Amino acid sequence: MRLEDFGSTIPFPPRVNPHLEAIRAGHERWLRRYRLIADDADAESFKEWRMVELAARAYPEATARGLRIAADALGWFFRFDDLFDGGPLACDITQASELVAAVTGIAGDPCFMSEVDEVPVIGAFRDIRRRSVEGMSPEWVERSADRWRGYFQGNLKETMIRADGAPISLKELITLRRYTIAAAPSADLNECACAFEISDEVALNPYFQGMEADTADAIIFVNDLWSASKEESAGEPFNAISVIQSEAHCDRRTAQIKVAGLLDDRVRRFTHRRSIFEDWLGGQQLSERERSAAFHQAAHLQDWIRANYDWSLESSRYRECS
């Protein structure tokens, strides 16, 4: 399956970080150290998810150190995500609340300790957070912590919705998934991975914020196209294809084409907003460093859209259940 099957494409050129191979072994050692992979067989299966390749595509300008942080964060993200999507915390509000409280505390302070510190994802996230805040300003630390909190609270809300069994509309799904897809904290990681920070003026610009939303939506729609079978078999309600099928009383193919159309809309909108945003940058009284950071962060958002699609074609995470 390719987007072309639905009359859709990603028009952005792919880019790959040159440090990809240099960080591969260290990434696997890190996964083992924090017990995110259990044994050699698990390690081989996890390699087929191609987390290092995804990081290299999404963070093509990162330093070697920065790319390692990004790869480790992505590896952690999928292990954390699987605790909720079809995992032991899918409908367990009590345990999900305890875990979310722990990681939320760590996002604000990497030294935060909790009663669930023995859970592998807790220690791994603490390490990611410690490394990512190093050398960053207090303003960046607080901004990124707030966006991590949005991601964690989104996961808890999904657990509550599953436990309640109530249906969710497409509009509600997109609003919630913009948090749980983790696009915002992933974008923040690009700043520490590349050793720059965007200014508050840029972060609050409505066109830039719109680009961030478009990026999140594009990732959502590509992932939902590829993971629909897996999520349907697990009874997972948070997939745009199944929601559209339910709302429109249509077959899967029709829903897939609708999702591909939504993806095209977001890509077009992103391109339009980026053009306006860069025109706006040209008229602002920013330092050369601030201007460069803004251009590079906009490029990163575009890279994420392309990276997610290319990774979806390569990764066994979706192939196994397609």
Side-chain angles (χ1 to χ4, degrees):
M1 185 172 70
R2 303 180 71 88
L3 288 182
E4 289 85 346
D5 297 336
F6 309 105
S8 182
T9 59
I10 301 293
F12 308 137
R15 299 200 292 163
V16 180
N17 192 296
H19 301 298
L20 186 156
E21 293 302 331
I23 70 151
R24 190 184 297 279
H27 174 62
E28 182 175 338
R29 288 194 298 269
W30 183 86
L31 292 170
R32 290 179 183 272
R33 182 185 314 133
Y34 286 98
R35 296 178 292 145
L36 296 181
I37 51 178
D39 49 35
D40 289 346
D42 192 24
E44 288 303 311
S45 176
F46 195 81
K47 284 178 184 176
E48 293 304 309
W49 285 14
R50 300 179 72 83
M51 290 292 95
V52 176
E53 286 77 7
L54 175 57
R57 291 181 181 278
Y59 300 88
E61 297 179 351
T63 65
R65 172 186 175 275
L67 187 61
R68 258 298 307 278
I69 295 173
D72 294 350
L74 290 174
W76 171 87
F77 165 74
F78 283 100
R79 288 308 198 197
F80 185 86
D81 186 67
D82 284 345
L83 293 174
F84 293 83
D85 290 355
L89 304 183
C91 298
D92 192 326
I93 297 174
T94 299
Q95 288 194 50
S97 298
E98 291 176 354
L99 191 69
V100 164
V103 287
T104 298
I106 292 168
D109 178 6
C111 295
F112 179 86
M113 304 298 289
S114 73
E115 295 181 358
V116 293
D117 271 14
E118 74 283 356
V119 177
V121 293
I122 297 298
F125 182 65
R126 179 179 287 113
D127 180 69
I128 290 166
R129 190 64 178 154
R130 281 174 176 162
R131 289 153 61 201
S132 63
V133 302
E134 185 179 341
M136 305 302 286
S137 71
E139 293 77 16
W140 181 91
V141 173
E142 178 51 38
R143 169 163 55 88
S144 65
D146 185 61
R147 289 169 27 124
W148 274 119
R149 285 190 284 268
Y151 165 66
F152 295 134
Q153 289 301 316
N155 276 278
L156 182 57
K157 186 171 182 179
E158 283 191 353
T159 294
M160 294 176 175
I161 292 172
R162 288 191 201 94
D164 184 59
I168 186 170
S169 70
L170 181 63
K171 182 178 179 180
E172 291 169 332
L173 172 77
I174 293 171
T175 299
L176 179 57
R177 292 280 304 286
R178 284 179 178 172
Y179 289 102
T180 60
I181 205 70
S186 296
D188 295 335
L189 281 173
N190 188 59
E191 294 175 73
C192 71
C194 297
F196 66 70
E197 293 186 27
I198 60 173
S199 66
D200 288 343
E201 189 175 8
V202 168
L204 296 174
N205 177 274
Y207 291 104
F208 182 80
Q209 291 181 336
M211 289 161 57
E212 289 192 313
D214 293 337
T215 300
D217 290 356
I219 295 171
I220 291 166
F221 297 141
V222 168
N223 286 9
D224 284 5
L225 283 166
W226 264 255
S227 64
S229 296
K230 172 185 175 182
E231 292 175 343
E232 183 180 57
S233 64
E236 180 63 31
F238 303 109
N239 186 289
I241 290 173
S242 60
V243 170
I244 289 172
Q245 283 186 267
S246 177
E247 284 188 344
H249 304 289
C250 64
D251 59 27
R252 174 175 289 194
R253 179 70 180 183
T254 301
Q256 288 173 321
I257 292 171
K258 171 68 172 176
V259 169
L262 291 171
L263 171 61
D264 284 343
D265 173 72
R266 297 316 194 265
V267 170
R268 285 192 298 267
R269 196 162 66 181
F270 176 93
T271 302
H272 177 66
R273 282 173 165 158
R274 182 176 180 183
S275 177
I276 297 175
F277 172 69
E278 292 183 348
D279 286 344
W280 172 83
L281 277 177
Q284 299 305 300
Q285 296 298 315
L286 300 173
S287 69
E288 189 54 39
R289 181 170 184 152
E290 289 173 327
R291 195 182 311 279
S292 175
F295 275 107
H296 284 289
Q297 192 68 352
H300 164 69
L301 296 175
Q302 179 172 298
D303 288 330
W304 242 124
I305 294 173
R306 179 74 208 202
N308 183 63
Y309 172 62
D310 290 336
W311 170 76
S312 296
L313 294 178
E314 300 173 348
S315 175
S316 68
R317 182 171 173 86
Y318 300 138
R319 273 206 315 271
E320 289 170 350
C321 302
S322 60

